[in-house]
Amino acid sequence: MSDDTRTATYPFPPTYFEHYCEHAGCGLWGLLGYEPVKGQNSYWCWEHFPDEEWKADRRKYREAVDAH
């Protein structure tokens, strides 16, 4: 006897979200997101992501990883 009462949709079916870049005219996938105002998410592609400091830190990290 199995005690597994779950079905494929228990407790609820998965929810998929599509986040596209918020830059005007850009239709790329918005993989980078952050919450400038609590409860209001924004998403951008790498090219249009507004936080240059974060992008610079990420580049340094990638260069360090690639150097090994």
Side-chain angles (χ1 to χ4, degrees), residues 44-62:
W44 289 274
C45 66
W46 176 259
E47 182 180 341
H48 297 120
F49 190 65
D51 192 347
E52 292 299 324
E53 181 180 342
W54 184 88
K55 285 169 68 172
D57 288 343
R58 185 69 186 154
R59 281 189 196 104
K60 288 179 192 174
Y61 170 77
R62 291 302 300 159

Side-chain angles (χ1 to χ4, degrees), residues 15-30:
T15 304
Y16 300 99
F17 297 101
E18 294 186 9
H19 301 290
Y20 294 99
C21 181
E22 295 190 13
H23 188 269
C26 182
L28 296 175
W29 183 253

